[in-house]
């Protein structure tokens, strides 16, 4: 009788030497969507690339994607077609309506067999009123609403940033990342109009405990709190924005517990996405993965998933 350990060994060898067959339940695909599919109402851009991951179908060059036209179909769950078109590029724009909970997206090679499909998922999030389009892009990016951010970047002729977005997104969320992708670790710098990583931040747990203590007596607690902090490498804070604004004084006292890593930047942004736990009683920093240095002690234990094969 063959042992379970031997079967597992054979399975692992098979995955390593035959990377183009179906593995771990992920069927072979030539293409993959570039980002997560969570959106809020408004204009978005959906893009895709040659799949170079575990479930790739072969070794395709990046330039291969420009050799095809694509048939795109977006429909609601009732089967009504919301958009149908044939395009000669690997992205398209679409408007997510306020009353559309979910939408099915299918992208197929024209006169070919290759296709990919996905569901757009409407995200329920508090959309705060922000001053500028740059502020809106930063909000979309840090909340993981990459498709909404992409449209705004295109409208400012900053579409060249998509490759940088893909690279950073892939590093933050390894292939087939099993948990929520409702945050991101980069923002659009208003001066250079380039992507910058947010500052790594320490003592997020101490901050959360202090915030929960301070909000304990509030009779009406907001579901989400959005905090932007601009700080310098001399440990001074040049600007703090808190939404809802009425919580500013309460939040400021807890912010003194945070420590920012200015190793690479003289000045930088930290965005804290605060939300309530499932029990509704306590707040926590949901984008702590994006704010934690991956080389720091304890990161691997707290965020163990690093990809499907190692």
């Amino acid at each position: 009788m063959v042992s379970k350990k031997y079967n597992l060994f054979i399975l692992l060898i098979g995955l390593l030497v035959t990377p183009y067959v179906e593995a771990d339940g992920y069927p072979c695909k030539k293409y993959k969507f570039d980002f997560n599919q969570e959106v809020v109402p408004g204009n978005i851009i959906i893009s895709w690339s040659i799949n170079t991951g575990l479930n790739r179908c072969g070794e395709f060059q990046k330039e291969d994607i420009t050799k095809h036209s694509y048939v795109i179909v977006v429909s609601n769950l009732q089967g009504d077609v919301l958009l149908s078109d044939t395009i000669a590029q690997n992205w398209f724009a679409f408007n997510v309506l306020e009353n559309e909970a979910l939408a099915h997206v299918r992208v197929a090679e024209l006169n070919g067999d290759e296709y990919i499909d996905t569901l757009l998922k409407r995200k329920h999030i508090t959309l705060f009123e922000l001053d500028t389009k740059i502020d809106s892009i930063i909000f979309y990016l840090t909340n993981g609403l990459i498709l909404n951010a992409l449209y705004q970047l295109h409208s400012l002729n900053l579409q060249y940033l998509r490759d940088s977005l893909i690279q950073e997104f892939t590093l933050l969320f390894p292939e087939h990342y099993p948990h929520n992708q409702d945050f991101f670790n980069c923002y659009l710098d208003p001066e250079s109009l380039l992507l910058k990583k947010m500052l790594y931040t320490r003592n997020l747990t101490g901050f959360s405990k202090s915030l929960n203590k301070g909000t304990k007596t509030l009779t009406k607690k907001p579901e989400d709190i959005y905090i932007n902090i601009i700080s310098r490498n001399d440990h001074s804070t040049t600007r703090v924005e808190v939404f809802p604004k009425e919580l500013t004084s309460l939040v400021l006292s807890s912010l003194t517990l945070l420590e920012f890593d200015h190793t690479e930047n003289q000045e930088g942004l930290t965005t804290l996405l605060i939300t309530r736990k499932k029990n509704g009683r306590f707040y926590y920093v949901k984008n702590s993965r994006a704010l934690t240095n991956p080389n720091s002690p304890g990161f691997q234990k707290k965020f163990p998933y690093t990809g499907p094969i190692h």
Side-chain angles (χ1 to χ4, degrees), residues 153-166:
L153 290 171
H154 272 248
S155 70
L156 294 177
N157 295 317
L158 299 175
Q159 56 268 27
Y160 57 84
L161 292 176
R162 186 165 65 93
D163 286 344
S164 298
L165 276 172
I166 293 173

Side-chain angles (χ1 to χ4, degrees), residues 104-118:
H104 179 259
V105 178
R106 188 179 193 275
V107 177
E109 285 183 1
L110 180 64
N111 300 321
D113 297 326
E114 296 288 345
Y115 76 93
I116 47 174
D117 62 348
T118 189

Side-chain angles (χ1 to χ4, degrees), residues 292-303:
T292 305
N293 189 332
N295 297 318
S296 62
F299 179 89
Q300 190 66 45
K301 184 178 180 180
K302 189 173 183 180
F303 309 106

Side-chain angles (χ1 to χ4, degrees), residues 31-157:
Y31 302 105
K32 64 180 180 67
F33 291 107
D34 292 325
F35 304 106
N36 61 334
Q37 307 305 316
E38 292 190 341
V39 298
V40 291
N43 293 309
I44 65 172
I45 280 182
I46 299 173
S47 65
W48 55 95
S49 302
I50 295 292
N51 184 14
T52 58
L54 170 70
N55 60 325
R56 63 192 182 276
C57 296
E59 297 297 344
F60 298 100
Q61 299 301 312
K62 186 177 180 181
E63 292 75 19
D64 289 345
I65 206 164
T66 63
K67 297 177 182 178
H68 297 281
S69 292
Y70 301 91
V71 178
I72 57 171
V73 178
V74 182
S75 56
N76 60 24
L77 295 186
Q78 289 71 44
D80 303 318
V81 175
L82 307 176
L83 175 67
S84 179
D85 201 359
T86 300
I87 57 176
Q89 60 195 28
N90 62 322
W91 63 270
F92 70 93
F94 177 67
N95 183 260
V96 178
L97 301 177
E98 187 72 39
N99 60 350
E100 285 292 344
L102 292 170
H104 179 259
V105 178
R106 188 179 193 275
V107 177
E109 285 183 1
L110 180 64
N111 300 321
D113 297 326
E114 296 288 345
Y115 76 93
I116 47 174
D117 62 348
T118 189
L119 279 177
L120 293 180
K121 302 173 185 176
R122 270 281 307 278
K123 186 175 180 181
H124 299 283
I125 188 172
T126 305
L127 297 174
F128 302 104
E129 290 188 15
L130 303 171
D131 295 332
T132 68
K133 184 173 284 190
I134 298 293
D135 290 334
S136 295
I137 291 174
I138 293 173
F139 179 84
Y140 287 142
L141 287 175
T142 53
N143 278 277
L145 300 167
I146 311 298
L147 305 189
N148 293 89
L150 272 180
Y151 185 90
Q152 299 297 329
L153 290 171
H154 272 248
S155 70
L156 294 177
N157 295 317

Side-chain angles (χ1 to χ4, degrees), residues 21-29 51 55-57:
V21 298
E22 183 173 338
D24 280 349
Y26 299 105
C28 161
K29 292 289 184 181
N51 184 14
N55 60 325
R56 63 192 182 276
C57 296

